[in-house]
Amino acid sequence: MTVQTAPVTKRGLTDPERAAIIAKAIPDHPLDTQRKYHYFIQPRWKRLSEYEQLSVYAQPNPDWIAGGLDWGDWTQKFHGGRPSWGNESTELRTTDWFRHRDPARRWHAPYVKDKSEEARYTQRFLEAYAAEGSIRTISPYWRDEILNKYFGALLYNEYGLFNAHSSVGRDCLSDVIRQSATFAGLDKVDNAQMIQMERLFIAKLVPGFDASTDIPKKIWTTDPIYAGARSAVEEIWQGIQDWNEILWSAHAVYDATFGQFARREFFQRLATVYGDTLTPFFTAQSQTYYQITRGAIDDLFVYSLANDPEFGAHNRAFLTLWTDHYLAKSVTALKDFVGLYAKVEKVSGATDRAGVSEALHRVFGDWKTDYADKIGYKVDVDQKVDAVLAGYKN
């Protein structure tokens, strides 16, 4: 009878001879000096922030998407072979799609916390406003004709811009961009909700006030005052495939001109002329959202794309083309909108031609500083103001 014997496996941890060989092969210096878990993330600030740790590289990213760390291809694709994410989704190029950072460092938890705080102080404000009977100071004409109809119609402007972010949130090429774009879109729907909240609140205090959206919807869809704005929003929402073009046209051109003028220079500024201290409370929140988004859009398009070390000139060329197109639509929207001044009192320095001109110069001046100058876009502010004032009616 032949006895078969299996070879004995000698393991380094138990065999003294092998353990000695392993120990001799180990160098006397550390193999890896990296002691940070997120060593692969390039911090924007002095130290890696919590926002960066929980945001960057959460999205799958093969190496053929600039800045990606993974490799190979997608295991799942759309019908027809379209990849989960692809460079063909935008005309812009960069050396690193993960370079962008939101200056406000917003991610889910702080965003929800901020919204909760806003809801609480809004409730406290409205309770105090109702208890004091402050609604009595609002001019009935301003309340019923301007606020209810034309401020009410502005909610469709904000809601349309919110919807434009749906494809952006799906198609953009990095998680940090997705967060900024999604929060910017959610802020827009918050603006729409706040407008309707104000109308519903007034209806509780003023018997007979119609808070339904029937009249505002009709104003938005048929009134010449919103014709240009409606055309611009429809194109931004439904006429663009490039997700960068959507973000740039919506925030860096249209909302930075038409949106700023309508919210800040008309409704917020004129509210106090008619004894309205309610509307400025809500528009102030909208303006806070605008400034937060402005910081994110500036970082994405100026810091990350227009100043990209390899593709900066390429990106500026496209940003210039997009600006040409959507600035013209924004001027048309403003030209139609200033017709609304014919429905309000003539107040020297506010609603007269000189006052409207000053307001337009503020808006276009801010836009030139915030965006045009930073991408090298040449604009004649006086010419744009004159073009808008062609729609002003004495």
Side-chain angles (χ1 to χ4, degrees):
M1 178 176 173
T2 304
V3 179
Q4 295 181 345
T5 59
V8 177
T9 301
K10 296 184 178 181
R11 304 185 181 277
L13 295 178
T14 57
D15 180 70
E17 295 181 2
R18 288 181 177 266
I21 295 173
I22 293 172
K24 186 177 180 180
I26 297 176
D28 57 0
H29 58 80
L31 295 176
D32 188 359
T33 59
Q34 177 56 250
R35 293 294 181 264
K36 295 181 180 179
Y37 180 70
H38 295 285
Y39 63 89
F40 48 84
I41 300 175
Q42 181 63 40
R44 171 67 64 84
W45 300 282
K46 186 175 181 179
R47 292 185 178 87
L48 194 66
S49 65
E50 182 182 47
Y51 153 74
E52 292 172 304
Q53 292 181 43
L54 297 175
S55 302
V56 186
Y57 294 119
Q59 173 180 315
N61 46 88
D63 51 0
W64 42 265
I65 290 181
L69 298 180
D70 293 335
W71 57 88
D73 203 350
W74 304 108
T75 57
Q76 294 180 328
K77 295 185 178 182
F78 291 94
H79 293 293
R82 176 191 170 193
S84 298
W85 286 281
N87 293 312
E88 70 279 1
S89 62
T90 180
E91 295 287 355
L92 303 190
R93 298 290 179 262
T94 181
T95 52
D96 185 3
W97 284 113
F98 293 83
R99 187 185 186 195
H100 166 64
R101 299 289 186 271
D102 180 359
R105 308 187 194 189
R106 293 198 295 182
W107 56 283
H108 180 265
Y111 182 83
V112 172
K113 179 182 178 182
D114 288 347
K115 294 298 180 181
S116 298
E117 291 175 353
E118 290 164 9
R120 287 192 291 271
Y121 73 66
T122 297
Q123 181 178 358
R124 291 193 295 269
F125 172 81
L126 295 181
E127 288 174 351
Y129 187 94
E132 291 182 349
S134 298
I135 192 69
R136 296 170 296 181
T137 67
I138 299 183
S139 161
Y141 174 78
W142 172 263
R143 180 193 67 208
D144 298 338
E145 293 299 315
I146 305 301
L147 281 187
N148 198 27
K149 295 179 180 179
Y150 290 93
F151 188 54
L154 192 66
L155 76 85
Y156 291 98
N157 178 82
E158 302 298 283
Y159 184 69
L161 293 178
F162 155 70
N163 278 285
H165 290 75
S166 58
S167 61
V168 177
R170 174 60 190 85
D171 293 338
C172 61
L173 296 177
S174 73
D175 32 45
V176 280
I177 299 175
R178 174 168 291 103
Q179 282 191 160
S180 293
T182 301
F183 291 146
L186 292 175
D187 285 343
K188 279 300 174 189
V189 80
D190 272 2
N191 288 348
Q193 291 173 338
M194 285 191 293
I195 292 173
Q196 182 61 10
M197 180 192 296
E198 178 176 350
R199 298 177 72 248
L200 289 168
F201 179 68
I202 294 174
K204 292 182 178 181
L205 303 178
V206 180
F209 186 89
D210 183 8
S212 74
T213 56
D214 293 342
I215 294 177
K217 183 178 181 179
K218 186 176 181 180
I219 294 291
W220 173 254
T221 55
T222 65
D223 197 302
I225 285 174
Y226 277 116
R230 184 172 65 253
S231 174
V233 171
E234 287 175 350
E235 180 170 345
I236 293 170
W237 177 5
Q238 299 179 333
I240 307 175
Q241 297 298 318
D242 189 312
W243 54 270
N244 270 312
E245 184 178 354
I246 293 173
L247 288 176
W248 179 258
S249 62
H251 295 287
V253 184
Y254 176 74
D255 197 53
T257 51
F258 176 84
Q260 282 295 84
F261 185 86
R263 289 188 305 267
R264 188 184 74 190
E265 300 295 342
F266 187 86
F267 292 111
Q268 181 169 279
R269 186 181 183 195
L270 296 189
T272 53
V273 173
Y274 289 91
D276 176 11
T277 57
L278 179 62
T279 303
F281 174 81
F282 290 108
T283 53
Q285 293 188 58
S286 297
Q287 292 308 103
T288 298
Y289 298 156
Y290 172 81
Q291 292 300 331
I292 292 173
T293 299
R294 184 181 65 83
I297 294 298
D298 176 88
D299 186 89
L300 173 59
F301 287 100
V302 178
Y303 179 86
S304 300
L305 295 174
N307 294 329
D308 186 89
E310 183 175 347
F311 299 101
H314 168 90
N315 294 335
R316 287 171 186 266
F318 274 97
L319 294 178
T320 297
L321 289 173
W322 295 342
T323 302
D324 281 339
H325 180 72
Y326 296 103
L327 184 60
K329 297 189 74 69
S330 299
V331 168
T332 299
L334 284 168
K335 180 181 175 181
D336 292 340
F337 184 80
V338 295
L340 188 54
Y341 281 96
K343 298 180 180 293
V344 296
E345 296 179 12
K346 292 297 179 289
V347 179
S348 178
T351 63
D352 58 1
R353 189 179 184 87
V356 177
S357 176
E358 290 179 1
L360 288 167
H361 274 92
R362 281 193 294 272
V363 169
F364 281 105
D366 289 347
W367 176 78
K368 182 177 182 295
T369 300
D370 292 340
Y371 294 109
D373 290 347
K374 293 179 179 179
I375 65 167
Y377 185 85
K378 304 300 180 182
V379 60
D380 185 338
V381 170
D382 292 333
Q383 187 272 330
K384 299 303 179 186
V385 171
D386 289 342
V388 173
L389 286 175
Y392 178 81
K393 300 176 177 62
N394 294 323

